[in-house]
Amino acid sequence: MSTLTLTRRRGLAAAGWLGPVARRLGSGLAVLWAAATAAYVSLLLVPGDTVDVLIGDGLDTPERRAQIVAEWGLDRSALHQYGDYLARLFHGDLGRSYILQRGVGDVLASQIGPTVRLALAAALIGTVLALALALATAGRRTWLGGLAGLSELVAVSVPPFLIGILLLAVFSFTLGWFPVSGDQGLVSLVLPAVALSLPICGVLGQVLREGLERALEEPFAVTARSRGITEWRLVARHALRHALLPAVTLTGWFTGTLLSGAIIVEAVFGRPGLGQVTLAAVTGKDMPVVMAVVLLSALVYVTVSTIVDLTYLAIDPRLRSSR
Amino acid sequence: MKVRWGVLTLAGVLVATACGAEAQSPTAAAGGGDGGSLTWAVETQPTTFNPQQWGQNKARLLVHNQFDSLIARGGDGGFLPWLATSWKVSKDGLTYTFQLRADVTFHDGEKFDAASVKANLDQFLVPGYNAAVAAIQLRNLGKTEVTGTHTLKVTLKAPDGLFLDFLSSPYAGQVSPKSLKNAKDLKAGGVDVVGTGPFILDRFTPGQEVHYKRNPNYNWPPAGSAHQGPAYLSEVTYRFLPEAAVRVGALTSGQVQVIEGVPATEIGLIKADSRLRFETSLNSGSAFSYYFNVSHPPFDDKRIRQAFRDAVDVDTVLDSVYQGTAKRAWSIIGQGSPQFYDASLENTFGDDPARANKLLDEAGWDKRDAEGFRVKDGKRLTVRTVASAPFVRDRRDILAQAIQAAVKQSAGIDFQVRLVDQGTALKAYEGNQYEVFENSRGDTDAGAALNLILPKGAAINRTHYESAELERLLDEASAGSDAAERKKLYAKVQKFVTDEALLLPLYVPADQVAYGSGVTGLTFEPVSGTPNSAYDVRIGT
């Protein structure tokens, strides 16, 4: 969300909550439709006959070819096919993986749980850690602030797989506190979630601290100080609200990092999840699965950014009031 | 050792339990040869658990837990009885008559008999089931007839010395005919594609692990097995840990008992640890080699090919890249295939910069440019290799860089290394835009590898070299079933391609395992050189 949109919205939002919410849902649906269309076009653009592409490395028999033609309506006009495809999506039918020979919905459903748990845990850890770091160090030009900034920089620049291996070396191989691999309850979630959260924490922490420091130099901060409130109250009660907006804007990036990072982290820690499915589908050219993953990412992205935009309204009342 | 391992395992159990992780079975610490559960970390998750779709050498160690093949291989490369107790080959090499074991049952309760073997062989002829096997390994398969409950006759269209090798490969892993018909997902395999093996696959979590439990009725191991009856372990879990450092850490911290795929950089660490054991075995098939594309300059000139080969001090290069852990190759066939390897080729070429420079001068590449590369008619002596990134393993990218430095320094050859995606690599091969093609193959019968690389028009003949003489030798060697005769013919093949300087052999690929000293019975398949199944493995004792 750019500031441009924010400014425009400031002028247009007339009916408090209702307008922005409806508009946001509408644009979310438009993005999903665009993603579905792009996925469909990419299927047509991949070299080779569409039936060949859909079969991939799967069983190639005349019966199966006939089945695919029927299933995708490949004997009809392109526009008709596109309409059918959208209609099927609308009914939640994602098609079939001809390599795994299972419904794509099934494939994703069986693997989505571990990835969601991992991503949510990483998001939570990343956010809490970044908030704590920023609140503790903002405005204090001490060694503590310098140290925090440096660790944030390291967290951002070191690739997640290296972070993962380092964490494993210390906490699993040496100290033996956590198991190396698998999805065996909460304990096995800790290290992968931390590995995935550190880059997020790094960026978020920097943005938050800068936001806080900028806010602390604004006139309202001077006024507040002159009223004699403590520095801590000033940071926590007043400056934070201002610093949150740019941080929240990062959520889109944040979601992307979680999704792409999960693929690597799942491999390092030997965890099940969507990462494995995606990797296998891309290398095996399993188009129905690839298309479904694209759609799923778009859905997550749209959902998250919708929630974020609504959160803006909650954080900054000016955005929902008329004038 | 025993005590120390016990303590280690106990510590592992305590840690795991304290963390709420899946606790080791207590029998693991007790050992005693009966029961016990083992966790084994492997590098690669198989793309399929159906043995007849098998294609990754790295998946071999899993296949024979669940499936038995018709025949086995012995340490000398000979064939041994397994599910087939004996076989007779007719004089003309066209008819094979098999006697089968009568006491074998599939995991789903179906009886193993001649009809089930026929169902398995016929399955390969179903269009699209495994087109590559139908077209290559089984191209000579005529028909399969059931001649008795446990006797079977197979007729070939032409003599084929590689047919028995096929029957000893994972492809001949016997699948219950019921699952061939009803499996939900036949090509991917899994819990409902069942065999007759010592373990039953009962759980597969993609990206995480595959779990097998003991088949209590198992009593038909291949001849040459270390024991009879059911497997020692009551269960075995293979965890997929693609990252080498993670596998080694999991082993040293006692979280897994065995790892497969040990990188050269970690071997010293493991050997220095008295709680651990390390073993390695050379793979069968062709050596990892640089093949020269003779279809255009400069490698259409034999002298340039010889010069490239002589310009590299292979021992020094291997030492610097693999720290002395790689076995130098001397021929297109590696030392991992001793039944065909021609040792007389050793030390007959290589590491001779003086000769390399003389050959290049003779061939007219006698001038140098400002950077020290040889030039002729204003063109630099450049050769290119194109490697497809997904297939680069064993630090072969680093190896290429070392060779690049070697040929530049000793002979002024500009060797360009390009690491690209699979599509780009294929395009370069199809467009003949390369001079060096790098490859190794893990076929148990090295002849199978040579048939794919050397004849005109073969699937990976990327040297574009053609010779009627060479093809006659290869044809005779593949058709024959007399081992001594085949060895003689393949010796001629090896001499031929060495004399023609068709390739620079580099090293013999190998498999490695490392394990806690409490684990015993871990062995390698004698011919393929890959780790065996967990049938003979136990903890303690």
Side-chain angles (χ1 to χ4, degrees), chain A residues 100 172 176-177 180-181 184 187 270 272, chain B residues 15 19 185 207-208 239 242 249 255:
Chain A
L100 305 170
S172 178
W177 292 353
V180 60
S181 78
Q184 301 153 352
V187 203
Chain B
V15 167
C19 295
D185 195 353
Q208 182 179 336
R239 276 205 188 145
Q255 299 183 55

Side-chain angles (χ1 to χ4, degrees), chain B residues 57 60 137 165 283-286 337 440-450 452 527-528:
Chain B
N57 232 18
R60 254 191 121 99
Q137 286 97 328
D165 177 61
N283 292 157
S284 57
S286 63
S337 293
S440 67
R441 288 197 51 94
D443 309 73
T444 41
D445 191 303
L450 303 193
L452 283 169
V527 174
S528 70

Side-chain angles (χ1 to χ4, degrees), chain A residues 57-62 99-102 111 161 165 168 172-184 187 266-273 276-277, chain B residues 15-16 18-22 45 126-129 184-188 205-209 239-243 245-253 255-256:
Chain A
D57 290 338
L59 195 62
D60 187 356
T61 60
I99 290 182
L100 305 170
Q101 295 181 20
R102 285 167 64 194
Q111 293 294 306
F161 84 89
I165 289 176
L168 276 172
S172 178
F173 305 155
T174 309
L175 297 173
W177 292 353
F178 300 99
V180 60
S181 78
D183 185 19
Q184 301 153 352
V187 203
E266 283 171 5
V268 169
F269 288 88
R271 283 179 60 83
Q276 295 288 335
V277 175
Chain B
V15 167
C19 295
E22 185 184 48
Q45 173 175 320
V126 172
Y129 180 64
K184 202 172 68 202
D185 195 353
L186 179 60
K187 283 188 101 175
T205 316
Q208 182 179 336
E209 63 186 31
R239 276 205 188 145
F240 309 121
L241 294 178
E243 198 60 51
V246 175
R247 283 197 303 283
V248 173
L251 176 71
T252 52
S253 62
Q255 299 183 55
V256 302

Side-chain angles (χ1 to χ4, degrees), chain B residues 80-98:
Chain B
L80 299 171
W82 196 347
L83 293 185
T85 51
S86 67
W87 52 92
K88 269 201 223 97
V89 188
S90 67
K91 277 233 168 62
D92 58 6
L94 290 178
T95 312
Y96 287 69
T97 313
F98 295 93

Side-chain angles (χ1 to χ4, degrees), chain B residues 388-402:
Chain B
S388 169
F391 289 89
V392 171
R393 55 187 179 99
D394 294 355
R395 313 213 308 149
R396 286 173 182 176
D397 46 341
I398 315 283
L399 179 64
Q401 288 167 18

Side-chain angles (χ1 to χ4, degrees), chain A residues 53-66:
Chain A
V53 173
L54 285 172
I55 282 187
D57 290 338
L59 195 62
D60 187 356
T61 60
E63 298 81 55
R64 188 164 290 276
R65 284 185 169 269

